[in-house]
Amino acid sequence: MEIELNPLNPFRTMSSSSPDLVFVYGTLKSGEPNHDLIKSSSTGARLVGRAKTCHRWPLIIASRYNIPYLLHCRDKGEHVLGEVYEVDDDMLAKLDELECHPDYYTRRKEPVHLLSTSTEITPWIYFLRDYKPELLDFPMLSEYFSIGTHGKPYVPRYLRPSDPYHSDVQNS
């Protein structure tokens, strides 16, 4: 009997229950302000590789804190570059808490291509679904960097007063 290995994790067979895959495009990427959440976990997350969304999506920077948002509006915007992580249940719960899922961002599965192999996979991606229509007029990015030529540096949570900034981007 031949055992078929899972190409995303050679230590698991295809019949094993697979961990979740998550595509990150903003402050959770390597080198970005919230990457420590993923990096600090010794077993909760493993980088699978860089990837690009199969569909075009509007990736914008908005709110008074210059937060990256991926708006749920397929085929508008750019093919977005990011990273795919394999995460366990505890890490997925931490990411859900960071992204205020399902009340602020909504997590859904969408296809991406791994850049190293061109393999199509379907990880979770966090989207802003209930957004103000004028956000679609913002400049759209193919890749996010917290400090860049866009001139909108990300403001980390610890520097923000506890005011309700969600209303900057969400419909009321």
Side-chain angles (χ1 to χ4, degrees), residues 28-146:
L28 288 165
K29 293 187 322 180
S30 301
E32 296 299 335
N34 289 325
H35 183 67
D36 282 349
L37 178 69
I38 290 177
K39 182 175 72 173
S40 65
S41 173
S42 59
T43 59
R46 180 185 70 82
L47 178 64
V48 174
R50 289 192 32 87
K52 181 193 273 190
T53 59
C54 293
H55 300 286
R56 293 181 306 120
W57 299 99
L59 173 60
I60 64 163
I61 300 172
S63 90
R64 65 192 86 172
Y65 301 119
N66 299 324
I67 297 170
Y69 294 98
L70 196 59
L71 305 180
H72 193 265
C73 184
R74 182 181 286 172
D75 297 327
K76 182 163 178 66
E78 306 289 335
H79 293 279
V80 176
L81 291 163
E83 299 168 348
V84 174
Y85 286 86
E86 182 181 80
V87 299
D88 63 16
D89 291 342
D90 290 339
M91 178 55 67
L92 190 62
K94 287 177 187 174
L95 295 175
D96 283 350
E97 182 180 342
L98 175 75
E99 306 294 7
C100 300
H101 166 73
D103 299 322
Y104 192 42
Y105 287 90
T106 301
R107 175 168 48 89
R108 62 176 287 142
K109 290 193 172 191
E110 289 290 339
V112 302
H113 281 105
L114 289 173
L115 297 181
S116 61
T117 63
S118 295
T119 304
E120 184 177 304
I121 57 175
T122 308
W124 291 110
I125 302 178
Y126 290 91
F127 289 95
L128 187 64
R129 289 185 68 96
D130 185 26
Y131 54 85
K132 293 181 176 179
E134 59 266 25
L135 295 180
L136 290 172
D137 296 329
F138 281 43
M140 296 178 193
L141 309 170
S142 60
E143 188 167 18
Y144 171 81
F145 297 100
S146 58

Side-chain angles (χ1 to χ4, degrees), residues 5-29:
L5 294 179
N6 182 330
L8 296 177
N9 184 347
F11 302 105
R12 290 182 179 262
T13 64
M14 290 304 286
S15 61
S16 301
S17 122
S18 293
D20 284 300
L21 297 174
V22 177
F23 175 80
V24 299
Y25 53 83
T27 64
L28 288 165
K29 293 187 322 180

Side-chain angles (χ1 to χ4, degrees), residues 33-34 36 65 98 154-162 165:
N34 289 325
D36 282 349
Y65 301 119
L98 175 75
Y154 174 77
V155 179
R157 286 181 180 219
Y158 71 90
L159 293 176
R160 301 177 199 165
S162 59
Y165 65 90

